[in-house]
Amino acid sequence: MDFSFSEEQTLLKESVSDFVKSDYAFSDRAAVLESEEGFSRKNLKTFADLDWNSIPFSEEDGGFGGTAVELMAVMEEFGKGLVVEPYFSSVILAGSFLRKAANSSQKEIHIPKIIDGSKIYAAAFSELQSRYDLYDVKTSATKEGAEYSLNGEKIFVLGGYAADTLIVSARTSGKPRDLEGVSLFIVAADTAGISKENFSTVDGFKAANLKFENVKVSAGNLLGEEGKGLAILEDVAAEAIIALGAEAVGALEILYRKTVEYSKIRVQFNQPIGKFQSLQMIMSEMFIEHVQVKSMLYMAVMKFDAGEDVQKSISAFKVQLGKAIKFIGQNAIQLHGGIGMTDELDVSHYFKRVTMIGVMFGDESYHLDRYVRLSC
Amino acid sequence: MDAKYSDEELKFRDEIRQFFEQELPETLKSKIEKGEPLYKEDQVLWQKTLAKKGWAGINWPVEYGGTGWTLMQKAIYFEEQAQHDVPGLIPFGLSMVAPVIMAFGNEEQKSRFLPDILNSNVWWCQGYSEPGAGSDLASLKTTAVRDGDHFIVNGQKTWTTLAQHADWIFCLVRTDPHVKKQVGISFLLIDMKSPGIDIRPIKMMDGSNEVNEVYFDNVKVPAKNLIGEENKGWTYAKYLLTHERSGISAVASSKRTLEKIKALAVSTPAGDATMMEDSAFRKKLAEVEIELIALEYTDLRILSEVSTGKAPGPESSVLKIKGTEIQQKLTELRMDLASYSGFIFHDPVGDNNEEALYLRGQGIDLAAQVYFNVRKTTIYGGSNEIQKGIIAKAVLGL
């Protein structure tokens, strides 16, 4: 039994942490958010230069061959800096579909572009009615000779704003909520028939809603077996929850630490508010919840890498995370008082980001339900 | 990073399993299976069985006849102990007074007391709390005044667990009333048969008499029963808190309890179905289970850090707080399952007129009484609020 990072993993974590500390001050980030694209191409190039994009890809695909431990190490540090560049949505999420399902010629075309950072990828799998059910797909893909024709709408496509290439789930057979019949496609974002509605998310990220009208996709861009996309989607979602969860655990650490520090300097009734026992109890509980959710993250990472009880462990983690996000997040705002509500202070930005992560790939209630189902 | 046992650890686990399966005395086995109460004689028999094997001193170093096990080995032992429903050993002698005697006692005290503790020949109880000294333990008032080669002890201890069965009591007593409260305390061992000691049972809300008041009226205690130096008792008492925390999370026994609750839910009828199909109950169960998984990994994380040489920090307060909260939630789940059937009062005093050592419910019997009893866990051993105060000060620097 070993809960420590290897030397290599420690170095990776430190290099990400150094980047966040030296190049990602809160004011730098604010400037990035103000820019037209909402993220920095320069930072994306730094990620590629430092070889962070290659982490999740296998050595034979030209990557580093990292496990979930490396993913966690990078994302936890990104979480501490509230990094908004589309690293998660392109490298981890869209990249994960390619890693898990692409054939060798598809891998050869796409993976190098993600690793060298020259193209941005995004995944489109949510629909208005689907909520968090990955099999609930109305978007259709009809085979016409050597092509498929895609029709339907996808919502909340993270990084969809700037994406060059999309991974899209569409139904090739069956009814909207059938488990079978979901297929995955690699689609160039500028293909005729795709219309985009760009928007910002509440936590400062950029995303898009996409509409597909008779979008022609060659059969060579079918990702994995026709109709068997659900297993891949679920596998991808598990890894995505680990990555986003690690980001949230990093951000939650900052939230409780900043709250403690603020309570030592904020004076009311002639003493630092951190001297008040009622607030000390709350901050102790924030610390405890962080210890617990970090343990749960480690559990999920180790189960994921060992391939044991993956889906059930992921749901357990997401339930614990949902609780920690609400408890630590809400109390961070409460203890900061009015200043915690402002846009000026970073605390509110951490709160918004973790709240967003709480919902992504299923909120607490969804995963509690799923945990119960998987326990049967 | 991985959560697997090594081959050596797996071999160790098999050895423990084999011992429990083969050496648990028949009388105990049958009582445990039937959920019958355990008495002092059962506890003594089991500890003697373990002592023969060399396993009674789980936390003890080899030089005193202990196992010398690593933290990981102890964790494995506790896990197997819970899985086999084998009783745990009473801690007052083995893991409370003995480590203090080992660290601060003289050779005469070590040879006089340790072997009898290990072999369960002598039972101990803890004389810490007083009516006016609970969370603020250092404000205790029981006095010990030096009189030649004796101390004369006067005062009152309370919440003394199993004092009615104890041969000896280890006490914190005030030997200097004129200094700061923490520095005037000494650590004294007292024979419970000494004239002037009066034990009065306290009847608790679950009907049990686990705890007692112990009165001292001019009790004459030989000075050779003083541990270490006079007025250093507070240091010795604190030593215990930082040194022996293994098992404090109670994860192993909570996991076992949860398994039993699940099995019980499947056989508990609810309308045309069972409670296992009751969605409100299922969700409540899942929430406790998830919190317990997190605690298990927190426990392992701290254990893994301590094994690599880091001193156990105040983070172990997290284990006490979450561990006891989960223990309490488990009693609620059992009460939920039991409904009316868990509310039939069972007198802890049996037909033999003797009271069982602790309340043990089988199935849904005693669900409410156990619920009442387990409220103690967030109060004892430094209440959970005190633990949060420790985190605020020692970890967060508030």
Side-chain angles (χ1 to χ4, degrees), chain A residues 98-274:
Chain A
L98 295 168
R99 278 185 279 132
K100 293 173 202 298
N103 59 37
S104 54
S105 65
Q106 290 168 337
K107 281 182 175 174
E108 267 171 48
I109 296 169
H110 297 285
I111 291 178
K113 292 178 188 159
I114 296 182
I115 290 180
D116 69 17
S118 59
K119 296 288 177 202
I120 294 174
Y121 285 62
F125 52 86
S126 294
E127 300 186 0
L128 203 54
Q129 82 292 344
S130 68
R131 294 180 65 84
Y132 313 115
D133 289 331
L134 299 166
Y135 53 84
D136 189 327
V137 177
K138 278 186 181 164
T139 299
S140 64
T142 319
K143 192 148 190 189
E144 295 165 356
E147 282 182 338
Y148 287 89
S149 178
L150 270 57
N151 282 284
E153 289 179 39
K154 294 286 173 186
I155 63 159
F156 220 83
V157 180
L158 285 172
Y161 174 85
D164 302 292
T165 308
L166 303 164
I167 311 293
V168 183
S169 66
R171 187 163 284 289
T172 40
S173 67
K175 294 192 291 293
R177 286 178 65 82
D178 282 356
L179 301 183
E180 291 279 317
V182 177
S183 301
L184 298 167
F185 297 92
I186 307 170
V187 185
D190 58 2
T191 310
I194 300 180
S195 50
K196 270 205 284 189
E197 180 203 333
N198 295 322
F199 58 90
S200 297
T201 57
V202 292
D203 53 339
F205 281 70
K206 296 283 183 182
N209 290 336
L210 302 179
K211 204 168 182 179
F212 296 81
E213 284 171 297
N214 298 319
V215 174
K216 306 293 177 204
V217 180
S218 105
N221 282 329
L222 174 71
L223 192 53
E225 238 181 289
E226 187 183 287
K228 304 281 181 201
L230 181 61
I232 298 160
L233 277 159
E234 283 184 339
D235 210 11
V236 167
E239 203 174 321
I241 287 172
I242 284 181
L244 286 172
E247 185 187 340
V249 168
L252 289 171
E253 181 177 334
I254 299 291
L255 272 175
Y256 94 72
R257 285 187 190 279
K258 279 187 183 287
T259 306
V260 170
E261 291 318 310
Y262 181 70
S263 80
K264 290 177 184 172
I265 55 163
R266 170 69 175 167
V267 174
Q268 289 288 275
F269 305 103
N270 299 317
Q271 56 180 324
I273 59 170

Side-chain angles (χ1 to χ4, degrees), chain A residues 23-34:
Chain A
D23 297 334
Y24 222 81
F26 187 58
S27 54
D28 298 333
R29 178 181 179 272
V32 164
L33 288 182
E34 285 298 311

Side-chain angles (χ1 to χ4, degrees), chain A residues 49-125:
Chain A
D49 291 346
L50 291 170
D51 231 6
W52 296 344
N53 292 357
S54 75
I55 289 164
F57 296 98
S58 71
E59 286 174 37
E60 59 185 51
D61 291 339
F64 171 87
T67 63
V69 181
E70 278 82 7
L71 271 192
M72 168 174 75
V74 174
M75 291 305 291
E76 198 179 340
E77 296 307 317
F78 272 178
K80 291 179 187 169
L82 290 180
V83 170
V84 293
E85 277 65 28
Y87 178 83
F88 166 75
S89 57
S90 181
V91 177
I92 296 181
L93 181 62
S96 173
F97 281 101
L98 295 168
R99 278 185 279 132
K100 293 173 202 298
N103 59 37
S104 54
S105 65
Q106 290 168 337
K107 281 182 175 174
E108 267 171 48
I109 296 169
H110 297 285
I111 291 178
K113 292 178 188 159
I114 296 182
I115 290 180
D116 69 17
S118 59
K119 296 288 177 202
I120 294 174
Y121 285 62
F125 52 86

Side-chain angles (χ1 to χ4, degrees), chain B residues 187-395:
Chain B
F187 197 103
L188 200 57
L189 313 181
I190 305 175
D191 188 335
M192 290 292 277
K193 288 184 291 294
S194 314
I197 292 185
D198 183 22
I199 305 171
R200 298 182 200 164
I202 304 174
K203 190 168 179 185
M204 302 304 274
M205 65 173 155
D206 59 3
S208 75
N209 166 211
E210 264 183 338
V211 293
N212 306 269
E213 295 176 303
V214 182
Y215 289 82
F216 299 85
D217 178 16
N218 286 317
V219 176
K220 217 173 148 189
V221 181
K224 64 173 183 177
N225 291 0
L226 177 76
I227 292 290
E229 286 176 53
E230 207 171 309
N231 297 326
K232 288 272 174 70
W234 188 250
T235 314
Y236 307 151
K238 277 207 313 201
Y239 166 83
L240 256 189
L241 297 177
T242 49
H243 274 75
E244 191 40 69
R245 310 289 275 178
S246 61
I248 191 175
S249 67
V251 162
S253 66
S254 288
K255 276 168 72 178
R256 180 65 179 148
T257 305
L258 189 83
E259 276 175 28
K260 288 182 176 172
I261 287 172
K262 283 182 179 172
L264 202 55
V266 174
S267 63
T268 303
D272 296 332
T274 71
M275 280 300 283
M276 205 50 163
E277 288 140 275
D278 180 284
S279 71
F281 177 78
R282 283 299 299 267
K283 277 193 186 169
K284 218 168 149 182
L285 178 76
E287 284 183 293
V288 179
E289 184 169 47
I290 288 168
E291 194 72 54
L292 181 55
I293 297 171
L295 184 66
E296 184 183 7
Y297 276 77
T298 297
D299 208 359
L300 292 172
R301 212 144 67 83
I302 293 176
L303 190 146
S304 152
E305 275 175 17
V306 175
S307 300
T308 57
K310 259 181 85 176
E315 288 88 351
S316 59
S317 290
V318 176
L319 300 178
K320 200 270 170 173
I321 294 166
K322 279 289 166 189
T324 51
E325 284 176 4
I326 289 169
Q327 282 175 291
Q328 292 184 339
K329 282 182 191 157
L330 288 167
T331 65
E332 286 177 43
L333 286 174
R334 210 157 76 94
M335 200 162 63
D336 287 353
L337 280 182
S339 145
Y340 292 121
S341 314
F343 285 74
I344 299 164
F345 180 71
H346 293 259
D347 193 340
V349 178
D351 298 337
N352 56 359
N353 223 13
E354 200 187 329
E355 185 175 322
L357 281 181
Y358 8 65
L359 217 51
R360 288 164 64 95
Q362 182 80 344
I364 49 178
D365 283 345
L366 289 150
Q369 276 163 282
V370 172
Y371 166 76
F372 300 143
N373 180 284
V374 172
R375 303 315 298 168
K376 71 188 174 191
T377 59
T378 47
I379 299 169
Y380 68 33
S383 75
N384 285 20
E385 290 72 26
I386 289 289
Q387 302 293 339
K388 287 176 193 172
I390 291 172
I391 291 172
K393 283 189 178 54
V395 184

Side-chain angles (χ1 to χ4, degrees), chain B residues 155-214:
Chain B
Q156 183 197 346
K157 295 291 176 184
T158 192
W159 313 130
T160 315
T161 305
L162 303 183
Q164 69 270 44
H165 296 295
D167 306 296
W168 281 74
I169 182 167
F170 56 98
C171 281
L172 292 179
V173 291
R174 186 156 305 283
T175 36
D176 187 347
H178 305 298
V179 291
K180 195 177 156 227
K181 59 184 179 179
Q182 284 86 356
V183 284
I185 293 170
S186 297
F187 197 103
L188 200 57
L189 313 181
I190 305 175
D191 188 335
M192 290 292 277
K193 288 184 291 294
S194 314
I197 292 185
D198 183 22
I199 305 171
R200 298 182 200 164
I202 304 174
K203 190 168 179 185
M204 302 304 274
M205 65 173 155
D206 59 3
S208 75
N209 166 211
E210 264 183 338
V211 293
N212 306 269
E213 295 176 303
V214 182

